[in-house]
Amino acid sequence: MEQYINNAPFFVVVLFLVAGFVFLVKGADIFVEGSSSIAKRFHVPSIIIGLTIVAMGTSLPETAVSVTASLANNNTLAVSNVVGSNIFNLMVVIGICAVMVPVAVSKDTVVRDIPISVACAILLLVLGILGFTDASKMTLGHLDGIIFIVLFACYIFLMIRAALKASKEGKNVEIEGGSDEDIKLLSLPKSIIFIVLGGAAIAFGGDLTVDSASKIAVDLGMSQTLVGLTIVSIGTSLPELVTSIVAAKKNEVDMALGNAVGSNIFNILMVLGIASAISPIGFLTENVIDIVVLLVFSLLVWVFGATKKKINRIEGLSMVALYAAYAVYIIIR
């Protein structure tokens, strides 16, 4: 497939890229549906399903792209895809929602989730710059990946424990897929077929996306970092954007910021953890700058959320405008 894409006309490569996004998104949906059904069949509490399988499902496209890029030694795409997706989720997805309807910010998001996401970004920056695998250059190595995965497991454990405690106290716990009615109970054979087909679609979509994005970068004279920060990261984040816009139209954006911040934590700890544990990922100066930008944007959203317990229209507009300015910067740098 890679050889065919490299020899294909530009418009065909673009079609392949779009097809790659479709395979990634639909594959993730099918995989999550099959996995959730099996978990429910074995009487796993819906809260745990929502905090693990369903929540991780939103990061499967980024996981597939970053792991595929890492295996193909296209390491700059692996990092820029995650950082670009995180910035887009935070500034555009939440920003557009806030323009449409004020986004409520829960106490847990301000006190727990945003600080953890900031800490994860700082850790990514520190480990990437230190380059434990090779002190002569900036790298995320196998050890760094293992550290991320262990921290990810700890984060999931803490989230589950907090959700179960709140549930026992009679508090309303709102999480993705947290309602029994939202999880379809499929037959066991059908669930297995969904998992297999979903996994295959994710793998194929990741390969197709990376190969197509690399070819587009070559044809347009763009760097792999720029492609990852723009085309690929936006493409893998479009489902979240569409879902959030639909929720905003229904005035149901109470969980929007919490979900976006949680997705950002998953992207760093799970996606880059798996990718770097499989194959070391090179770090560029541009990656360092972009992570610093992510930190600044995260702190800004933290201030917006902490001051009024909501993000209003003016703040949403400023977030989208800042993303536009950042997009212009990365294009001309």
Side-chain angles (χ1 to χ4, degrees), residues 271-286:
V271 176
L272 287 181
I274 294 173
S276 55
I278 292 173
S279 176
I281 300 175
F283 233 63
L284 301 177
T285 303
E286 288 89 346

Side-chain angles (χ1 to χ4, degrees), residues 16-17 20-21 24 65 77 204-214 232:
F16 275 130
L17 181 65
F21 289 147
L24 284 172
V65 170
L77 188 60
F204 180 71
D207 192 42
L208 202 59
T209 300
V210 170
D211 290 343
S212 302
S214 299
V232 178

Side-chain angles (χ1 to χ4, degrees), residues 32-265:
V32 167
E33 191 171 345
S35 302
S36 299
S37 176
I38 287 182
K40 185 176 181 180
R41 184 172 292 278
F42 284 96
H43 307 293
V44 176
S46 296
I47 288 178
I48 295 178
I49 296 175
L51 285 170
T52 54
I53 298 171
V54 178
M56 283 187 275
T58 59
S59 293
L60 283 178
E62 287 87 353
T63 304
V65 170
S66 293
V67 170
T68 303
S70 179
L71 290 173
N73 291 321
N74 193 352
N75 295 327
T76 52
L77 188 60
V79 177
S80 59
N81 170 46
V82 166
V83 177
S85 290
N86 282 11
I87 293 175
F88 187 85
N89 284 342
L90 203 60
M91 304 302 284
V92 178
V93 173
I94 301 304
I96 289 178
C97 282
V99 170
M100 298 176 67
V101 57
V103 176
V105 182
S106 70
K107 181 180 178 181
D108 285 342
T109 300
V110 173
V111 175
R112 181 191 64 198
D113 298 334
I114 296 181
I116 290 177
S117 72
V118 169
C120 289
I122 292 174
L123 181 63
L124 173 62
L125 187 64
V126 171
L127 292 182
I129 291 175
L130 290 178
F132 287 139
T133 301
D134 185 350
S136 65
K137 60 182 179 181
M138 295 188 292
T139 312
L140 275 180
H142 297 298
L143 177 60
D144 302 318
I146 293 171
I147 291 173
F148 279 143
I149 291 172
V150 170
L151 289 175
F152 176 69
C154 293
Y155 172 70
I156 291 293
F157 173 76
L158 290 174
M159 292 294 290
I160 291 174
R161 190 175 69 172
L164 291 176
K165 181 181 178 182
S167 180
K168 287 180 180 179
E169 293 174 353
K171 297 179 181 177
N172 183 31
V173 181
E174 293 186 3
I175 54 175
E176 297 178 79
S179 170
D180 280 320
E181 291 77 14
D182 294 333
I183 302 173
K184 296 179 182 178
L185 186 60
L186 308 173
S187 66
L188 189 58
K190 189 174 182 179
S191 298
I192 294 173
I193 291 173
F194 270 37
I195 292 173
V196 173
L197 289 179
I202 292 168
F204 180 71
D207 192 42
L208 202 59
T209 300
V210 170
D211 290 343
S212 302
S214 299
K215 183 64 166 63
I216 289 174
V218 172
D219 288 349
L220 297 181
M222 300 168 65
S223 68
Q224 298 289 341
T225 300
L226 180 56
V227 172
L229 287 170
T230 53
I231 299 172
V232 178
S233 65
I234 292 174
T236 55
S237 296
L238 280 179
E240 286 92 336
L241 177 60
V242 173
T243 302
S244 296
I245 290 175
V246 171
K249 286 182 178 179
K250 297 178 180 178
N251 200 20
E252 297 174 352
V253 292
D254 291 346
M255 295 171 59
L257 181 58
N259 287 344
V261 173
S263 179
N264 286 3
I265 295 171

